[in-house]
Structure formats: C-alpha cells, structure tokens
C-alpha cells in the first residue's frame, strides 16, 4: 500500500484535482507540499493537530513539507468558517506567536538536512506594493467567482469586510511564491480552504502558463469529518503543556465519544491499519481500551514517552480507585484566596480552571457534579481546609485536579 492509498484508508482524502498525478507523486516521494498555519494564538491547538500528523506521515514517505506560518495573512484574518471578523493583532503579538509555533512544530516535523522548510509569508506579503498587486494578481481573479466561494458564504450573511475579501488573493499568492521559490507542487488543506486553494492553482496557471501549472499544481483536501473534529476543540485543547497539561491532554482523548475513537485512531495515530481493524470489532467496555491506546499514542507524540507514561499511570490509578495521585495535575492557589482559613469551593473551581466563572461554578455545584476528596459538594457556600498534601477536586466523572496552597 502506497502512502496515498493509506491516506484514503485512514479517511483523510476528500477531493483531489488529479488523482493519478497525486497518487504517483505522493507514492514516489515527488511532492514538495505546504500547509499554512496562521499564528492567531501563542500555541498550536488540536485544530492544527491533524495537519501536523499528516505532514509527519508524508515526510516519512519521502515527501518534503513546507510549514508556512502566516505572519502576513494573520494580519488580515481568514474568513472561512467564521461568523464574525477576527480580532486584528499587532505585529508584536504575531511575532511572539510565530516563535511559539516554530518550537512546537519541530516535535512533529524533521527540519534537518533540507528535509523540510519553515517559512513566514510576511517575508513576501508585507513587501508587496498595492498597485502592483492589483495589476499583477488582482487581474487574475473574477469577483463573481470569488463571491460564490464557500469560504465567504457565512461572512457574507453578516457583512464581509474588504479586508477579509483579500484573504483568498493573499493565500493564492503564497502558493504562487512557494511554487517559484521552492518548487512547491502540492497544497493540503481542509474543505473550507477549497476555494482559496484553487485560487492559488489558477494564479500559477494564469501567470506561468497553463501546461506548466496543470502538470505541477495539485491540491488534496483533508477529509471534512477530520476538519470538524479539529474545529470542535479549536482553542480549547492546546499543544503547549503550560496551557493544557499532558494529563488533561491525555484525558481529552481518553474521553472521546465511542463513535469517534476508531476515526481518531485512523486519522491521527501511527497505529497500523491492521491493528485498528481488530479494534473496530470491539464493543462496549472494550472501547475503553481503544480510547486508552488513542490517548497514550497522541500524548506520547505531543509530550513524549515520559509524560504519556505519567498521564496514563495517573488516569489508571484515579479511575481504578487507587490512592496514587502523584501524577495528577496540580494547581497552586494563593493563601490570599482563603476565607477564615478555608478555601471556598467556588474559588477552587475557578482557580483550578474547572469553571470559567463564578456563575458556572455555582451551576456545577448545584447540579451535583462536584466533589472534594471523594465527597460530593452540594452547598455553593462550602469551604475546605487545604492540608499540606493538597485536596483533590473532581468535576463530573472524569476531570480531576489537585489543589495546593503556595
């Protein structure tokens, strides 16, 4: 089975512009491909995870990835899938986020010895002259076709700004530039990027000649189900251990829905398809074993073997009724948070990140979803002494945090 057939079997292929060329180039390691990441935060998140796993998989098959960080496009904001215009960021914030992205990407992609390229589209986009762009690039795009693009539909209902309208042109120019500078002949992206990606292909065709472009520019999309899976947790589960601990990352994947566990194993892990085929026959409680494999494999990929071992040990101990909570995530709160020598339950929940507000914390308590050291808490005014070893707060059935005073 070639890498293209494996991508199909794992549910990662939705549409291609020329399947025979795609198959030949990917299976024979002829692809120099790019995926773009706009640095809208100071950490990559699970919404980026599938793209990173795909790049890793393709690189191992002999193809060369280009990780494009959108230092230029982030100053505009992609309208795809958004009901409102994105908040504009300063150049300083974007620069900081880019440095954070670079560090995290190196865990997934081998940038040594010319095996991969890391670029920032600010290097060419911010140097463009507006009139030149209108003459040289804008002339290649039909406004009628752009307005029909899927990426603009949701924003059109609420008011699409001219700023955002230019995003397709900028992304298209990225592919055009990468094609010329690095021989980039592949684009990868999710379904909501289809129009943007075809725009880049069309720009190369118009600027460099039909035969040259059609023989070299090929687009492949990630499966729409995978894209949705990423979007459901976008911004909530981060790859930075300071924002989402390895234990919480493990627990997120350990708690995926039964209906999603096999899909996640196929799309995200390096577990063989033969092994996954066996898991597809598992039912009911057996699926918990599959979820544990999923959580361990992905935590190992993002945070390393040691952290994956710790997270798995802590989860097994807690859910198995054990007393060893040494590897449970610890939150340190200040003694200033005490009231008459005790820590209020509402402060515990908000301070530990188990509730986003006092109102949400009160709802959790009233709903019977909170316990402290194994005892359910029903009084929103309850407060607890915090011994030196800390107390364990539980939200629902599966989320635990140890709280200590610092």
């Amino acid at each position: 089975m070639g890498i293209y057939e494996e991508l199909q079997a794992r549910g990662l292929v939705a549409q291609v512009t020329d399947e025979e060329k795609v198959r030949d180039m990917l299976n024979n390691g002829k692809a120099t491909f790019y995926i773009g990441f706009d640095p809208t935060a100071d950490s990559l998140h699970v919404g980026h995870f599938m793209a990173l796993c795909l790049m890793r998989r393709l690189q191992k098959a002999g193809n060369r990835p280009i990780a494009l960080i959108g230092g230029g496009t982030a100053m505009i904001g992609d309208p795809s899938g958004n009901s409102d215009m994105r908040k504009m960021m300063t150049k300083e914030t974007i620069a900081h986020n880019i440095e954070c992205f670079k560090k995290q990407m190196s865990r997934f992609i081998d940038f040594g010895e010319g095996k991969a390229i890391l670029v920032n589209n600010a290097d060419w986009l911010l140097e463009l002259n507006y009139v030149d762009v209108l003459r040289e690039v804008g002339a290649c795009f039909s406004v009628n076709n752009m307005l029909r693009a899927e990426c603009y539909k949701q924003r059109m209902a609420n008011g699409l700004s001219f700023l955002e309208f230019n995003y397709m042109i900028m992304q298209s120019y990225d592919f055009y530039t990468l094609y010329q500078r690095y021989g980039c002949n592949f684009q990868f992206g999710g379904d909501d990027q289809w129009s943007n990606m075809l725009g880049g292909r069309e720009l190369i065709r118009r600027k460099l000649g039909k035969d040259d472009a059609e023989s070299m520019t090929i687009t492949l999309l990630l499966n729409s189900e995978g894209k949705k899976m990423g979007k459901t947790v976008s911004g909530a589960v981060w790859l930075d251990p300071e924002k989402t601990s390895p234990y919480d990352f493990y627990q997120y994947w350990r708690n995926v829905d039964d209906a999603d566990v096999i899909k996640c194993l196929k799309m995200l892990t390096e577990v063989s398809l033969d092994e996954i085929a066996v898991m597809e026959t598992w039912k009911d409680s057996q699926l918990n074993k599959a979820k544990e494999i999923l959580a361990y494999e992905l935590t190992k990929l993002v945070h390393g073997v040691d952290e994956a071992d710790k997270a798995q040990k802590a989860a097994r101990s807690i859910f198995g009724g054990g007393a060893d909570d040494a590897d449970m995530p610890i939150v340190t709160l200040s003694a200033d948070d005490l009231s008459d020598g005790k820590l209020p339950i509402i402060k515990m929940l908000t301070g530990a990140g188990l509730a986003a507000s006092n109102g949400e914390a009160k709802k959790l308590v009233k709903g019977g979803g909170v316990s402290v050291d194994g005892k359910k808490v029903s009084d929103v005014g309850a407060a607890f002494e915090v011994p030196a070893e800390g107390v364990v707060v539980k939200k629902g059935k599966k989320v635990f945090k140890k709280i200590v005073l610092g």
Side-chain angles (χ1 to χ4, degrees):
M1 179 186 295
I3 185 63
Y4 179 70
E5 288 76 20
E6 182 175 351
L7 295 182
Q8 287 183 308
R10 290 183 179 273
L12 288 167
V13 178
Q15 299 180 66
V16 294
T17 54
D18 189 321
E19 188 170 49
E20 288 308 309
K21 290 180 181 177
V22 168
R23 177 180 288 107
D24 173 67
M25 295 179 74
L26 290 182
N27 286 349
N28 291 289
K30 299 176 182 177
T32 295
F33 67 94
Y34 99 91
I35 298 180
F37 302 82
D38 276 354
T40 54
D42 58 0
S43 171
L44 295 162
H45 54 64
V46 171
H48 300 114
F49 195 45
M50 181 175 295
L52 292 167
C53 292
L54 176 67
M55 295 177 86
R56 177 186 176 92
R57 203 184 301 276
L58 288 168
Q59 186 180 48
K60 287 188 172 183
N63 299 288
R64 184 171 68 154
I66 298 176
L68 182 147
I69 300 181
T73 41
M75 299 187 72
I76 302 299
D78 185 359
S80 303
N82 293 303
S83 58
D84 298 303
M85 182 172 150
R86 284 182 173 175
K87 181 180 178 181
M88 293 181 68
M89 298 184 294
T90 65
K91 291 182 179 180
E92 292 75 19
T93 297
I94 292 172
H96 171 72
N97 293 349
I98 287 172
E99 291 305 311
C100 295
F101 274 31
K102 287 178 180 178
K103 292 177 183 178
Q104 292 176 340
M105 285 180 173
S106 62
R107 177 171 285 279
F108 299 88
I109 304 166
D110 181 1
F111 288 102
E113 301 176 2
K115 295 178 181 177
I117 304 169
L118 182 69
V119 297
N120 180 354
N121 65 12
D123 293 343
W124 54 83
L125 291 179
L126 299 188
E127 295 178 355
L128 292 175
N129 177 282
Y130 185 62
V131 174
D132 288 342
V133 172
L134 290 178
R135 289 174 57 86
E136 301 299 325
V137 181
C140 298
F141 287 82
S142 162
V143 171
N144 290 347
N145 289 338
M146 292 175 72
L147 291 175
R148 286 194 292 268
E150 192 67 33
C151 62
Y152 290 136
K153 283 185 177 179
Q154 190 169 356
R155 291 292 293 119
M156 285 287 288
N158 297 297
L160 176 71
S161 71
F162 184 70
L163 179 75
E164 297 168 287
F165 187 62
N166 282 269
Y167 191 91
M168 180 188 293
I169 294 176
M170 295 178 73
Q171 183 172 328
S172 299
Y173 193 80
D174 283 343
F175 191 25
Y176 172 70
T177 301
L178 294 173
Y179 175 80
Q180 292 187 98
R181 292 189 181 185
Y182 305 106
C184 180
N185 49 27
F186 258 79
Q187 302 176 84
F188 285 80
D191 286 353
D192 60 353
Q193 297 296 312
W194 178 243
S195 298
N196 291 340
M197 295 166 74
L198 291 183
R201 188 170 188 258
E202 177 65 9
L203 181 60
I204 294 175
R205 187 188 73 80
R206 294 282 298 273
K207 297 293 291 182
L208 301 179
K210 180 178 179 179
D211 293 338
D212 187 33
E214 287 196 343
S215 67
M216 294 300 290
T217 59
I218 302 170
T219 54
L220 169 68
L221 269 72
L222 303 182
N223 181 280
S224 57
E225 285 299 311
K227 188 68 176 179
K228 283 192 289 185
M229 179 176 65
K231 283 198 169 185
T232 59
V233 294
S234 177
V237 180
W238 304 93
L239 306 192
D240 183 346
E242 297 298 318
K243 297 171 78 72
T244 297
S245 71
Y247 174 83
D248 287 335
F249 187 84
Y250 178 97
Q251 283 301 109
Y252 170 78
W253 296 108
R254 174 63 179 78
N255 296 331
V256 299
D257 291 340
D258 289 356
D260 292 332
V261 61
I262 297 300
K263 179 170 63 181
C264 291
L265 280 163
K266 286 181 177 179
M267 290 181 168
L268 301 173
T269 75
E270 297 181 355
V271 177
S272 73
L273 288 169
D274 288 341
E275 292 176 89
I276 296 173
V278 174
M279 296 182 209
E280 287 187 274
T281 67
W282 293 354
K283 304 292 183 182
D284 303 323
S285 61
Q286 283 184 305
L287 284 175
N288 288 330
K289 182 179 178 182
K291 292 180 183 181
E292 195 172 69
I293 292 170
L294 172 69
Y296 182 84
E297 290 297 320
L298 297 186
T299 306
K300 179 177 69 174
L301 179 60
V302 174
H303 298 295
V305 173
D306 290 345
E307 292 297 337
D309 287 341
K310 288 179 183 178
Q312 186 174 73
K313 178 183 176 184
R316 285 177 172 176
S317 175
I318 293 167
F319 295 112
D324 183 7
D325 59 8
D327 295 317
M328 186 185 300
I330 297 176
V331 176
T332 302
L333 299 183
S334 170
D336 294 338
D337 295 320
L338 296 176
S339 177
D340 295 328
K342 294 183 178 181
L343 190 61
I345 185 61
I346 301 303
K347 187 61 185 179
M348 282 188 180
L349 293 170
T350 57
L354 299 177
S357 65
N358 289 346
E360 182 181 333
K362 290 176 181 178
K363 287 182 180 179
L364 287 171
V365 173
K366 290 178 181 178
V370 177
S371 65
V372 175
D373 283 341
K375 296 180 181 179
K376 184 168 289 189
V377 181
S378 56
D379 179 7
V380 296
F384 301 85
E385 293 182 353
V386 181
E389 65 272 17
V391 294
V392 176
V393 182
K394 177 182 176 184
K395 181 180 78 171
K397 296 181 179 180
K398 300 176 180 179
V399 181
F400 295 79
K401 290 287 178 71
K402 180 190 284 188
I403 295 178
V404 298
L405 294 178

